[in-house]
Amino acid sequence: MVRPEDVMKAISGTWLYLNVTAFYDNGTQSHEEDPGLGASPTGMLSYNAAGWMAANFMSGRPEDRPDNVDSAALDVGTDAEWALIGKHTISYSGPWRVSIATDDVGTGQITHGPTRVAWLPSWLGIELQKNYTLYEDDTMRFISRTQDGKIGHMFFTRLA
């Protein structure tokens, strides 16, 4: 059995989101866009070996990201524009751990959480399980439930 600290060392770093393929429970591929993030979201994951992580994703659709909104001037942009950005963003952080170790550091399950910071109050304190596979080309696949209940195969590439 691989030691959890070896898994954490192997996963630690910054990962750029590449894509997701979603499947229904019967194995049929879904061709629907993610309702919140669209077909081509942008995202990053960061993990450190001390057990802390952050996840940030945003819609790639220009209509979901009003460009006149600026945090330096909170009076710029309407409440509806600010709400639109929040509706099409996922952001959370907190501890992470190895929940299932195997005989191979490249496969197993990790858990994000309980979350300490989240863009939605309902996501505070939750845990998210991710079955992972690490590949030799510095890519990683997660298999987990998507926000709309499908089985998502998310792919990331290591940046650092």
Side-chain angles (χ1 to χ4, degrees):
M1 195 64 76
V2 174
R3 298 178 321 149
E5 51 270 18
D6 293 335
V7 172
M8 293 179 82
K9 182 178 177 184
I11 293 176
S12 289
T14 303
W15 298 84
L16 178 67
Y17 172 82
L18 296 173
N19 60 57
V20 65
T21 302
F23 298 89
Y24 297 103
D25 285 338
N26 68 6
T28 304
Q29 184 175 341
S30 168
H31 297 283
E32 300 170 6
E33 283 189 8
D34 180 281
L37 299 177
S40 300
T42 301
M44 293 179 76
L45 297 171
S46 294
Y47 297 95
N48 72 31
W52 294 96
M53 61 79 55
N56 295 286
F57 296 87
M58 67 180 200
S59 171
R61 296 180 296 225
E63 62 269 22
D64 296 338
R65 317 273 328 149
D67 58 6
N68 66 317
V69 176
D70 187 341
S71 65
L74 296 179
D75 59 339
V76 175
T78 66
D79 286 349
E81 288 172 319
W82 282 97
L84 185 65
I85 292 169
K87 185 176 181 179
H88 298 285
T89 300
I90 296 175
S91 183
Y92 64 91
S93 62
W96 72 286
R97 67 185 183 281
V98 178
S99 29
I100 297 177
T102 66
D103 291 333
D104 178 5
V105 73
T107 61
Q109 184 183 81
I110 62 172
T111 298
H112 296 171
T115 56
R116 299 265 183 98
V117 175
W119 93 115
L120 283 178
S122 63
W123 274 52
L124 287 173
I126 67 167
E127 294 189 346
L128 302 154
Q129 283 75 39
K130 311 286 184 181
N131 295 326
Y132 73 88
T133 303
L134 296 171
Y135 298 99
E136 290 183 18
D137 64 351
D138 270 345
T139 59
M140 177 171 59
R141 178 182 66 174
F142 280 159
I143 299 176
S144 62
R145 287 284 173 184
T146 61
Q147 290 187 85
D148 56 355
K150 297 179 187 80
I151 301 166
H153 292 239
M154 298 177 76
F155 290 87
F156 299 84
T157 188
R158 185 187 299 273
L159 295 177

